[in-house]
């Protein structure tokens, strides 16, 4: 029988799930009609304000530093992003066909980096059981030298490299279930034998990377799916490719690139998943973290562009982080015109 304060697995009961976010992430404003819009985070904030999530340990994300960012991006790229920031008289600066900056974008991106860094600190210092970072802009398309696909800085990669630099983590894994392949994380991790990237994603779809043959230094594991593939094929891809590879890798930390645009309602993807699939994936990733990493999981928000589906999927994912059970409770939020929950 376990001692008081311990689980059947023999280690101390975890602390609360920490939520890291910041109001500045609402100041990254994109042009009208852009799918990566402020309302995404407003919908998430509204849902996570529900009493069901009262036990979350809520903290404001600090600012990330250039030193943090430079672990994943070149100094020239960091200077480029800083120089591209529009002033208050200029609404937007376009970095590529999909990626824009507004006057508030740099602080929003720095808060995203800071959230990822603070999440790693929290799980390694034993301050939190695990962490969810409700941040924007998203990050997993940002390569070491290039902004892409709505993304400026690669929060997941920065978190992983911070864990190695600050806590001597020998092996860090990023698991990505966004509908789009995280080409940026793959690019940054490509030659890092002690860094792991595993992704399920739809192909063909933006950005066009993520083939099974893309293996890096033997540390990249892609499990592409086709439009119309649903729950069974998604779970099989994780069960047969990604999770066994994570198990063999034996990470000291797992970072989740938590994109929810594989939901059947999302306008940018076609994988036909539901909230229960995200719960299933979250629980199995947590099981790998329990086995190898003392439960250390940091989850960073990526995509998800139908607002109602995004909010409910985030709620399901956070419930899994909080409870560690498969019991999914639906949490409803009111729909009104201001939130534009239904497009």
């Amino acid at each position: 029988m376990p001692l008081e304060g311990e689980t059947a697995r023999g280690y101390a009961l975890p602390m609360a799930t920490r939520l890291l976010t910041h109001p500045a992430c609402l100041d990254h404003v994109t042009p009208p009609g852009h799918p990566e819009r402020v309302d995404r985070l407003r919908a998430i904030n509204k849902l996570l304000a529900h009493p069901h999530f009262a036990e979350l340990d809520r903290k404001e994300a600090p600012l990330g530093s250039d030193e943090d960012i430079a672990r994943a991006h070149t100094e020239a790229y960091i200077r480029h992003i800083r120089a591209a920031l529009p002033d208050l008289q200029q609404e937007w600066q376009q970095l590529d066909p999909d990626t824009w900056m507004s006057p508030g974008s740099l602080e929003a991106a720095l808060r995203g980096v800071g959230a990822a860094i603070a999440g790693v600190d929290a799980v390694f210092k034993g301050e939190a059981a695990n962490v969810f970072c409700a941040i924007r802009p998203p990050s997993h398309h940002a390569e070491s030298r290039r902004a892409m696909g709505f993304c400026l800085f690669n929060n997941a990669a920065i978190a992983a490299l911070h864990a190695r630099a600050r806590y001597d983590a020998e092996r860090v894994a990023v698991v990505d279930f966004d509908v789009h392949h995280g080409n940026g994380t793959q690019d940054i991790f490509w030659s890092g034998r002690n860094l792991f990237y595993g992704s399920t994603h739809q192909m063909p779809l933006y950005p066009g990377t993520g083939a099974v043959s893309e293996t890096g230094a033997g540390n990249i594991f892609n499990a592409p799916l086709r439009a119309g593939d649903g729950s069974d094929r998604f779970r099989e891809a994780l069960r047969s490719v990604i999770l066994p590879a994570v198990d063999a890798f034996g990470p000291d930390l797992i970072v989740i690139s938590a994109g929810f645009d594989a939901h059947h309602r999302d306008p940018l993807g076609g994988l036909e998943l539901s909230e229960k699939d995200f719960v299933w994936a979250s629980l199995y990733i947590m099981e790998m973290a329990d086995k190898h990493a003392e439960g250390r999981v940091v989850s960073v928000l990526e995509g998800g562009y139908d607002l109602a589906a995004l909010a409910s999927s985030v709620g399901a994912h956070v419930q899994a982080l909080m409870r560690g059970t498969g019991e999914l409770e639906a949490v409803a939020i009111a729909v009104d015109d201001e939130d534009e929950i239904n497009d």
Side-chain angles (χ1 to χ4, degrees):
M1 178 178 294
L3 298 174
E4 183 178 357
E6 294 187 337
T7 69
R9 292 175 178 169
Y11 50 81
L13 286 170
M15 299 178 70
T17 293
R18 180 163 291 181
L19 172 66
L20 283 161
T21 189
H22 196 279
C25 292
L26 297 168
D27 295 332
H28 169 57
V29 179
T30 52
H34 197 287
E36 206 298 283
R37 58 203 190 276
V38 172
D39 291 309
R40 297 179 64 239
L41 190 54
R42 287 178 178 155
I44 291 169
N45 289 344
K46 186 170 185 178
L47 183 126
L48 294 181
H50 190 282
H52 189 78
F53 299 99
E55 294 178 9
L56 285 172
D57 177 24
R58 300 167 188 265
K59 303 287 184 184
E60 283 200 343
L63 285 168
S65 70
D66 285 3
E67 180 183 1
D68 297 325
I69 299 165
R71 294 194 176 101
H73 299 280
T74 66
E75 291 184 2
Y77 175 74
I78 298 169
R79 291 195 299 270
H80 167 68
I81 292 297
R82 287 190 171 276
L85 184 70
D87 60 32
L88 294 177
Q89 284 71 47
Q90 180 185 3
E91 286 186 292
W92 296 290
Q93 176 69 43
Q94 187 173 15
L95 302 181
D96 81 350
D98 304 299
T99 311
W100 298 74
M101 293 182 72
S102 69
S105 295
L106 181 60
E107 181 177 352
L110 291 174
R111 295 291 179 182
V113 171
I117 295 290
V120 172
D121 291 343
V123 296
F124 273 98
K125 292 178 180 179
E127 297 173 357
N130 48 48
V131 175
F132 180 67
C133 302
I135 51 179
R136 56 179 293 277
S139 72
H140 71 156
H141 294 307
E143 298 182 348
S144 61
R145 301 170 182 268
R146 180 167 62 156
M148 283 184 65
F150 316 159
C151 304
L152 301 180
F153 300 132
N154 195 309
N155 300 322
I158 291 167
L161 294 167
H162 173 72
R164 295 194 63 197
R166 176 66 177 81
Y167 298 101
D168 295 323
E170 292 186 14
R171 294 170 300 279
V172 183
V174 173
V175 178
D176 187 338
F177 51 70
D178 192 281
V179 79
H180 302 96
H181 181 246
N183 60 290
T185 312
Q186 178 171 289
D187 166 67
I188 294 164
F189 282 14
W190 187 258
S191 301
R193 294 186 179 275
N194 291 327
L195 296 167
F196 173 104
Y197 179 67
S199 175
T200 60
H201 49 274
Q202 181 179 325
M203 284 189 75
L205 195 66
Y206 183 91
T209 55
V212 172
S213 59
E214 297 167 17
T215 59
N219 61 325
I220 306 295
F221 295 85
N222 288 310
L225 301 165
R226 295 175 298 180
D229 284 351
S231 175
D232 290 346
R233 291 186 181 276
F234 169 73
R235 296 187 187 201
E236 179 58 26
L238 279 168
R239 189 186 292 115
S240 64
V241 178
I242 305 301
L243 294 171
V246 173
D247 196 16
F249 181 71
D252 301 306
L253 166 71
I254 299 179
V255 179
I256 303 176
S257 272
F260 300 99
D261 40 8
H263 192 281
H264 64 87
R265 289 187 51 168
D266 199 275
L268 298 191
L271 286 187
E272 303 297 324
L273 301 187
S274 73
E275 290 83 352
K276 291 186 178 181
D277 294 307
F278 299 126
V279 169
W280 184 93
S282 303
L283 294 174
Y284 273 97
I285 294 168
M286 291 166 67
E287 184 176 283
M288 288 291 105
D290 286 346
K291 181 176 180 180
H292 296 289
E294 299 181 17
R296 290 187 286 262
V297 171
V298 176
S299 177
V300 297
L301 179 66
E302 300 286 359
Y305 304 101
D306 178 275
L307 300 183
L310 172 63
S312 60
S313 297
V314 167
H317 176 62
V318 172
Q319 282 185 70
L321 293 175
M322 291 173 68
R323 312 295 185 199
T325 75
E327 297 179 3
L328 175 64
E329 299 177 43
V331 179
I333 55 175
V335 175
D336 56 48
D337 292 338
E338 181 181 352
D339 292 319
E340 301 177 13
I341 300 294
N342 287 317
D343 298 327

